[in-house]
Amino acid sequence: MKAVVFEDVRAVGVHTVPDATIESGSDAVVRVTSSAICGTDLHMYDGRTGAEPGLVLGHEPLGVVEQVGPCVETITPGMRVVIPTHLYCGTCHMCARGLSAACLRARPDGIGAAYGYAGMGPYRGAQAELLRVPWADANCIRLPGQPGDAREDDFVLLADAFVTGWHATVLADVRAGDTVAVFGAGTIGLLAAYSALLKGSRAVYCVDGVDARLDKASELGATPVDFRAGDPVDRIRELRARAGLPIGEEKLGGVDKVIDAVGFQAHDRTHPGRERPNQVIADAARMVNPEGAVGVAGVYPERDLNPQPGETAEGWLTVPWATFFAKGVGVRFGRTHDRRYTTHLRDLITSGRARPGAIVTHHGGLDYAPELYRQFDQRERGIIKAVLHP
């Protein structure tokens, strides 16, 4: 089968690799119809996470079941399914509590596992024609419709992007009536903003420095804030004041909830062109109102294997804990426990209430993957979210 394979830093290729097959009685093999490229794939593409040459990339698959093992009971060939990024057994101590991203059985040398992800287990990725899915009864989420229909882009985002955006709002405890600032208008930031709006937030601000992303934030209903034009915290405070703070909130010029959808590759606004891993955390501390909350969905690796100038390989940050403490702010991190949200968000899509596929901007076959990776890495041609069709 053909698959997208990591070759070296900023180099991927389309290779012929052995077909995915049934290896255990609880497995399924899925023929992939759509597989998205994620910002996390770029962490590997840029050499930041220790990906080894030969790794089949991708963790956002949608497809049709082609074959199942003898122990699979609820999934049958021909079913249309989406596969969550974090594979899980469904029965261990953590999975039984709904903490599927912390499965105790999926990775022998650690906790939690994912497809096509350096350091997250031996599982080949989903940017391929076929994908082996362990524990298929737990990991194959059934979907209506047919491949290539009007909801293909919506459904592929159930593998990761939409559930992660929603999870970000859970980490930040976003509720109806809240004011929210989302730092980062990539896929996760946009879908976090979109999720906050679906939950009834009264104002959502989306901070970024890429025109196409800011335009998309506005299209989704958020207020775009361009950090190239000045300090985004000051800008959001100005916008809030100009709109008129509600009665009783005159001393609260910030926002109730903040979401970090950037992570360790945040841009340093004082030194353009450089990274500052704690930039968004510092902004969040200034932005959040007393007794508010911050949700961190952006990636912070334990080790950066290709640190940029002025940075170190260790995953240590200087964080304004005293500010968070003084304000009584809750700060939560964590990978997405996909299974908590997948069917709920699927049903929002099928009901017509949610259309997350609006953020998809580019499509292509597997052979076009190297060029899409390059464009995505360089933020060219307005690319926000690209989907491959094997």
Side-chain angles (χ1 to χ4, degrees):
M1 68 179 187
K2 292 168 64 176
V4 179
V5 173
F6 177 79
E7 297 176 338
D8 204 344
V9 176
R10 295 190 178 86
V12 301
V14 181
H15 296 199
T16 298
V17 302
D19 283 356
T21 60
I22 299 293
E23 299 178 21
S24 173
S26 60
D27 289 353
V29 172
V30 172
R31 183 161 293 279
V32 179
T33 59
S34 288
S35 188
I37 300 176
C38 178
T40 303
D41 293 325
L42 290 186
H43 299 325
M44 290 179 280
Y45 181 76
D46 290 335
R48 308 297 287 268
T49 59
E52 295 288 340
L55 174 67
V56 176
L57 296 167
H59 55 263
E60 298 185 75
L62 170 68
V64 176
V65 177
E66 189 159 286
Q67 185 182 2
V68 298
C71 299
V72 177
E73 298 182 349
T74 62
I75 303 299
T76 59
M79 285 183 175
R80 188 187 194 189
V81 294
V82 65
I83 314 299
T85 292
H86 299 101
L87 61 139
Y88 47 94
C89 72
T91 57
C92 74
H93 175 71
M94 301 302 274
C95 288
R97 296 163 60 198
L99 305 175
S100 56
C103 178
L104 301 176
R105 297 173 63 199
R107 179 158 58 103
D109 61 344
I111 295 174
Y115 301 96
Y117 199 115
M120 291 293 288
Y123 305 100
R124 289 196 297 181
Q127 290 166 12
E129 293 178 312
L130 299 169
L131 179 70
R132 173 196 166 222
V133 182
W135 299 292
D137 285 312
N139 287 273
C140 291
I141 312 303
R142 296 176 59 181
L143 300 170
Q146 300 297 322
D149 64 15
R151 290 183 292 204
E152 183 88 358
D153 284 348
D154 296 315
F155 284 149
V156 73
L157 298 182
L158 289 172
D160 181 11
F162 192 19
V163 292
T164 301
W166 190 274
H167 180 61
T169 67
V170 173
L171 292 174
D173 192 31
V174 173
R175 304 185 184 192
D178 280 343
T179 54
V180 181
V182 180
F183 285 81
T187 299
I188 303 305
L190 288 170
L191 289 175
Y194 185 55
S195 297
L197 290 165
L198 286 173
K199 287 185 171 186
S201 296
R202 57 188 157 115
V204 178
Y205 304 92
C206 215
V207 179
D208 207 283
V210 178
D211 290 337
R213 293 176 170 189
L214 294 166
D215 291 343
K216 183 63 70 172
S218 179
E219 179 184 319
L220 294 175
T223 299
V225 178
D226 188 344
F227 66 70
R228 296 170 299 182
D231 187 324
V233 175
D234 290 344
R235 178 59 178 157
I236 292 172
R237 290 182 180 278
E238 290 170 5
L239 291 169
R240 298 266 292 129
R242 187 181 304 167
L245 294 172
I247 295 173
E249 295 187 25
E250 292 83 2
K251 294 179 69 174
L252 300 175
V255 297
D256 302 311
K257 309 294 168 60
V258 177
I259 291 171
D260 172 2
V262 179
F264 76 114
Q265 289 184 277
H267 291 287
D268 187 334
R269 292 194 306 278
T270 306
H271 303 283
R274 292 180 55 180
E275 292 180 4
R276 179 186 167 189
N278 66 348
Q279 178 69 74
V280 173
I281 298 296
D283 289 340
R286 296 167 53 219
M287 185 80 264
V288 67
N289 283 334
E291 304 303 324
V294 176
V296 182
V299 172
Y300 288 89
E302 292 185 58
R303 290 184 62 83
D304 182 350
L305 298 183
N306 187 22
Q308 301 303 292
E311 300 175 12
T312 67
E314 300 299 331
W316 292 76
L317 298 178
T318 300
V319 177
W321 290 122
T323 302
F324 289 131
F325 179 84
K327 288 185 173 183
V329 171
V331 182
R332 295 185 65 195
F333 303 76
R335 295 183 181 277
T336 307
H337 300 297
D338 316 77
R339 201 60 177 91
R340 287 185 170 187
Y341 314 117
T342 312
T343 54
H344 170 66
L345 297 181
R346 176 200 64 191
D347 295 344
L348 285 181
I349 291 171
T350 56
S351 71
R353 183 73 179 87
R355 296 303 304 267
I359 70 161
V360 175
T361 54
H362 290 65
H363 297 84
L366 283 185
D367 290 337
Y368 196 44
E371 177 60 15
L372 284 175
Y373 265 88
R374 188 195 66 78
Q375 292 176 9
F376 191 21
D377 191 50
Q378 299 300 315
R379 308 297 190 263
E380 293 181 356
R381 295 185 58 233
I383 191 168
I384 295 174
K385 188 67 170 177
V387 176
L388 299 171
H389 301 291

